[in-house]
Protein backbone atom coordinates (compact mmCIF):
# COMPACT_ATOMS: atom_id res chain seq x y z
CA UNK A 1 0.00 0.00 0.00
CA UNK A 2 1.45 3.39 -0.94
CA UNK A 3 1.92 6.01 1.77
CA UNK A 4 3.76 9.23 2.46
CA UNK A 5 5.67 8.00 5.49
CA UNK A 6 8.93 9.22 3.91
CA UNK A 7 9.32 13.00 3.89
CA UNK A 8 11.92 13.57 1.16
CA UNK A 9 14.10 16.46 0.09
CA UNK A 10 13.79 16.87 -3.69
CA UNK A 11 16.34 19.09 -5.43
CA UNK A 12 15.92 20.71 -8.82
CA UNK A 13 17.91 23.33 -10.71
CA UNK A 14 16.04 26.33 -9.29
CA UNK A 15 14.10 25.00 -6.30
CA UNK A 16 14.45 22.55 -3.45
CA UNK A 17 11.42 20.84 -1.97
CA UNK A 18 11.83 19.95 1.69
CA UNK A 19 9.46 18.86 4.46
CA UNK A 20 7.61 21.78 6.00
CA UNK A 21 8.50 22.82 9.54
CA UNK A 22 6.70 24.90 12.15
CA UNK A 23 8.70 28.05 11.31
CA UNK A 24 7.32 27.95 7.75
CA UNK A 25 4.04 29.26 9.17
CA UNK A 26 5.48 32.78 9.25
CA UNK A 27 6.30 32.70 5.54
CA UNK A 28 3.03 31.01 4.61
CA UNK A 29 1.09 33.72 6.40
CA UNK A 30 2.87 36.21 4.16
CA UNK A 31 2.00 34.16 1.07
CA UNK A 32 -1.66 34.00 2.11
CA UNK A 33 -1.74 37.73 2.80
CA UNK A 34 -1.73 38.16 -0.99
CA UNK A 35 -5.33 38.53 -2.16
CA UNK A 36 -4.49 36.99 -5.53
CA UNK A 37 -3.15 33.84 -3.89
CA UNK A 38 -6.31 33.52 -1.79
CA UNK A 39 -8.50 33.91 -4.88
CA UNK A 40 -6.50 31.52 -7.07
CA UNK A 41 -6.58 28.84 -4.38
CA UNK A 42 -10.21 29.51 -3.45
CA UNK A 43 -9.23 30.17 0.18
CA UNK A 44 -12.07 31.98 1.92
CA UNK A 45 -11.55 34.19 4.94
CA UNK A 46 -8.68 36.39 6.05
CA UNK A 47 -5.71 35.60 8.25
CA UNK A 48 -4.32 37.64 11.12
CA UNK A 49 -1.29 37.42 13.43
CA UNK A 50 -3.55 35.45 15.80
CA UNK A 51 -3.46 32.60 13.27
CA UNK A 52 0.30 32.18 13.57
CA UNK A 53 0.37 29.75 16.50
CA UNK A 54 -2.33 27.43 15.10
CA UNK A 55 -0.48 27.44 11.78
CA UNK A 56 2.82 26.68 13.53
CA UNK A 57 1.17 23.68 15.19
CA UNK A 58 -0.25 22.57 11.84
CA UNK A 59 3.08 22.77 9.98
CA UNK A 60 4.96 21.28 12.88
CA UNK A 61 2.72 18.20 12.87
CA UNK A 62 2.97 17.35 9.15
CA UNK A 63 5.82 14.85 9.65
CA UNK A 64 3.45 12.62 11.64
CA UNK A 65 1.00 12.11 8.76
CA UNK A 66 1.42 9.19 6.36
CA UNK A 67 -1.62 10.09 4.23
CA UNK A 68 -0.26 13.39 2.91
CA UNK A 69 2.99 15.04 1.92
CA UNK A 70 3.53 18.76 2.58
CA UNK A 71 6.73 20.18 1.10
CA UNK A 72 8.08 23.71 1.23
CA UNK A 73 9.25 25.21 -2.06
CA UNK A 74 12.59 26.95 -1.49
CA UNK A 75 14.45 29.18 -3.94
CA UNK A 76 17.89 27.57 -4.29
CA UNK A 77 19.59 30.89 -5.05
CA UNK A 78 18.40 32.67 -1.90
CA UNK A 79 17.28 29.78 0.35
CA UNK A 80 13.97 31.65 0.72
CA UNK A 81 10.63 29.91 1.27
CA UNK A 82 8.36 30.83 -1.66
CA UNK A 83 5.40 28.47 -1.20
CA UNK A 84 4.36 24.85 -0.85
CA UNK A 85 3.34 21.75 -2.79
CA UNK A 86 1.02 19.19 -1.29
CA UNK A 87 -0.01 15.64 -2.13
CA UNK A 88 -3.13 14.86 -0.10
CA UNK A 89 -6.40 12.92 -0.09
CA UNK A 90 -4.42 9.71 -0.51
CA UNK A 91 -6.55 6.77 -1.66
CA UNK A 92 -4.15 3.91 -1.00
CA UNK A 93 -6.57 1.26 -2.28
CA UNK A 94 -6.67 2.92 -5.70
CA UNK A 95 -3.08 4.27 -5.72
CA UNK A 96 -4.23 7.85 -6.20
CA UNK A 97 -4.08 11.24 -4.53
CA UNK A 98 -4.71 14.94 -5.08
CA UNK A 99 -2.17 17.67 -5.80
CA UNK A 100 -2.06 21.37 -5.04
CA UNK A 101 0.53 24.13 -5.12
CA UNK A 102 0.59 27.68 -3.76
CA UNK A 103 3.40 30.13 -4.51
CA UNK A 104 3.78 33.65 -3.19
CA UNK A 105 4.90 36.63 -5.27
CA UNK A 106 8.60 35.74 -4.81
CA UNK A 107 8.03 32.37 -6.45
CA UNK A 108 5.89 33.41 -9.41
CA UNK A 109 6.80 33.89 -13.08
CA UNK A 110 10.20 32.21 -12.61
CA UNK A 111 9.44 28.63 -13.62
CA UNK A 112 9.41 27.52 -10.00
CA UNK A 113 5.89 26.10 -10.20
CA UNK A 114 6.69 23.97 -13.23
CA UNK A 115 9.89 22.60 -11.72
CA UNK A 116 8.33 21.95 -8.31
CA UNK A 117 5.41 20.12 -9.91
CA UNK A 118 7.71 17.89 -11.96
CA UNK A 119 9.82 17.10 -8.90
CA UNK A 120 6.88 16.01 -6.78
CA UNK A 121 5.25 14.05 -9.61
CA UNK A 122 8.49 12.13 -10.20
CA UNK A 123 8.62 11.26 -6.52
CA UNK A 124 4.95 10.23 -6.39
CA UNK A 125 5.07 8.02 -9.46
CA UNK A 126 8.60 6.61 -9.29
CA UNK A 127 9.16 6.29 -5.53
CA UNK A 128 5.71 6.02 -3.95
CA UNK A 129 4.21 4.03 -6.81
CA UNK A 130 1.02 6.00 -7.34
CA UNK A 131 -1.09 5.47 -10.46
CA UNK A 132 -3.17 8.65 -10.64
CA UNK A 133 -2.76 12.22 -9.39
CA UNK A 134 -5.55 14.76 -9.83
CA UNK A 135 -6.16 18.44 -9.21
CA UNK A 136 -8.74 21.18 -9.59
CA UNK A 137 -8.01 24.55 -11.16
CA UNK A 138 -10.49 27.41 -11.34
CA UNK A 139 -11.67 28.71 -14.69
CA UNK A 140 -10.17 32.16 -14.01
CA UNK A 141 -6.65 30.72 -13.61
CA UNK A 142 -5.46 29.88 -17.15
CA UNK A 143 -1.82 30.49 -16.17
CA UNK A 144 -1.90 27.59 -13.70
CA UNK A 145 -3.73 25.40 -16.20
CA UNK A 146 -0.97 26.00 -18.76
CA UNK A 147 1.63 24.88 -16.20
CA UNK A 148 -0.34 21.72 -15.46
CA UNK A 149 -0.74 20.94 -19.17
CA UNK A 150 2.96 21.63 -19.70
CA UNK A 151 3.91 18.84 -17.26
CA UNK A 152 1.34 16.39 -18.60
CA UNK A 153 -1.95 16.83 -16.74
CA UNK A 154 -5.00 16.21 -18.94
CA UNK A 155 -8.45 17.75 -18.63
CA UNK A 156 -11.16 15.40 -17.38
CA UNK A 157 -14.22 17.51 -16.76
CA UNK A 158 -15.78 20.52 -15.10
CA UNK A 159 -17.27 21.01 -11.64
CA UNK A 160 -19.84 23.67 -12.42
CA UNK A 161 -20.17 26.65 -10.08
CA UNK A 162 -17.77 25.00 -7.63
CA UNK A 163 -16.50 28.26 -6.14
CA UNK A 164 -18.49 31.20 -4.82
CA UNK A 165 -16.15 34.19 -4.69
CA UNK A 166 -17.35 37.67 -3.79
CA UNK A 167 -20.84 36.95 -5.02
CA UNK A 168 -19.83 35.31 -8.31
CA UNK A 169 -19.70 31.59 -9.08
CA UNK A 170 -16.87 29.93 -11.00
CA UNK A 171 -16.28 26.50 -12.49
CA UNK A 172 -13.40 24.26 -11.41
CA UNK A 173 -11.64 22.19 -14.06
CA UNK A 174 -10.59 18.68 -13.02
CA UNK A 175 -7.27 17.44 -14.43
CA UNK A 176 -5.20 14.33 -13.85
CA UNK A 177 -2.02 12.55 -14.87
CA UNK A 178 -1.50 8.78 -14.84
CA UNK A 179 1.63 6.74 -14.21
CA UNK A 180 1.83 5.36 -17.80
CA UNK A 181 1.66 8.93 -19.12
CA UNK A 182 4.44 10.00 -16.78
CA UNK A 183 6.53 7.05 -17.94
CA UNK A 184 6.01 8.17 -21.55
CA UNK A 185 7.21 11.75 -21.10
CA UNK A 186 8.52 12.33 -17.52
CA UNK A 187 6.77 15.68 -17.25
CA UNK A 188 7.71 16.83 -20.77
CA UNK A 189 4.77 15.72 -22.97
CA UNK A 190 6.12 17.76 -25.86
CA UNK A 191 9.21 15.50 -25.90
CA UNK A 192 8.10 11.85 -25.55
CA UNK A 193 10.70 9.48 -24.18
CA UNK A 194 12.15 7.34 -26.98
CA UNK A 195 11.61 3.66 -26.34
CA UNK A 196 14.40 1.42 -27.53
CA UNK A 197 13.53 -1.04 -30.29
CA UNK A 198 13.63 -4.72 -29.38
CA UNK A 199 16.72 -6.52 -30.62
CA UNK A 200 16.25 -8.73 -33.66
Amino acid sequence: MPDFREKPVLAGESVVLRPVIADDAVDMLEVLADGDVLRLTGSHGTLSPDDLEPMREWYGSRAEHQDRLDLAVVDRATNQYVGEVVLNELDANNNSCSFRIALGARGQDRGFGTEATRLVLRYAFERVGLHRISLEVYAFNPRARRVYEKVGFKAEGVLRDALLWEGERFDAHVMSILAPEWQDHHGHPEIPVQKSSPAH
Side-chain angles (χ1 to χ4, degrees):
M1 290 285 233
D3 62 49
F4 296 125
R5 181 183 296 111
E6 180 187 6
K7 307 299 182 184
V9 175
L10 309 174
E13 291 184 8
S14 301
V15 299
V16 173
L17 309 184
R18 58 151 176 82
V20 296
I21 57 174
D23 287 346
D24 290 331
V26 175
D27 292 310
M28 195 59 191
L29 265 179
E30 182 180 332
V31 169
L32 293 175
D34 185 329
D36 282 342
V37 172
L38 290 177
R39 178 172 177 266
L40 293 174
T41 58
S43 302
H44 290 286
T46 57
L47 294 171
S48 73
D50 292 338
D51 295 302
L52 180 58
E53 278 310 308
M55 285 183 68
R56 281 182 57 83
E57 290 181 21
W58 167 262
Y59 281 104
S61 70
R62 296 306 86 198
E64 303 164 14
H65 294 263
Q66 299 180 20
D67 62 344
R68 59 182 291 144
L69 179 64
D70 298 77
L71 298 176
V73 182
V74 178
D75 179 350
R76 286 193 73 156
T78 63
N79 204 36
Q80 275 190 316
Y81 175 103
V82 296
E84 66 178 14
V85 292
V86 179
L87 296 175
N88 62 358
E89 298 178 0
L90 177 66
D91 180 346
N93 291 312
N94 292 306
N95 282 26
S96 65
C97 75
S98 296
F99 167 84
R100 66 176 173 80
I101 183 170
L103 297 180
R106 290 192 300 250
Q108 296 174 10
D109 301 316
R110 302 172 65 186
F112 287 1
T114 302
E115 184 176 69
T117 302
R118 285 190 179 122
L119 286 170
V120 80
L121 290 179
R122 179 184 301 126
Y123 175 77
F125 286 127
E126 298 179 13
R127 294 274 295 279
V128 180
L130 293 181
H131 176 73
R132 167 188 158 87
I133 298 173
S134 61
L135 61 83
E136 294 177 14
V137 57
Y138 294 116
F140 53 70
N141 194 359
R143 180 175 66 177
R145 180 166 177 154
R146 282 194 297 273
V147 169
Y148 301 142
E149 290 172 340
K150 186 177 180 180
V151 303
F153 279 92
K154 294 184 178 180
E156 290 191 335
V158 177
L159 302 176
R160 298 179 301 159
D161 285 358
L163 175 70
L164 176 61
W165 192 264
E166 295 181 351
E168 191 173 354
R169 296 190 182 276
F170 298 93
D171 294 345
H173 297 266
V174 179
M175 305 180 75
S176 73
I177 182 170
L178 305 179
E181 295 164 348
W182 175 263
Q183 291 165 7
D184 281 344
H185 55 64
H186 299 292
H188 297 271
E190 76 286 2
I191 313 173
V193 174
Q194 296 296 318
K195 294 181 173 63
S196 57
S197 301
H200 294 290

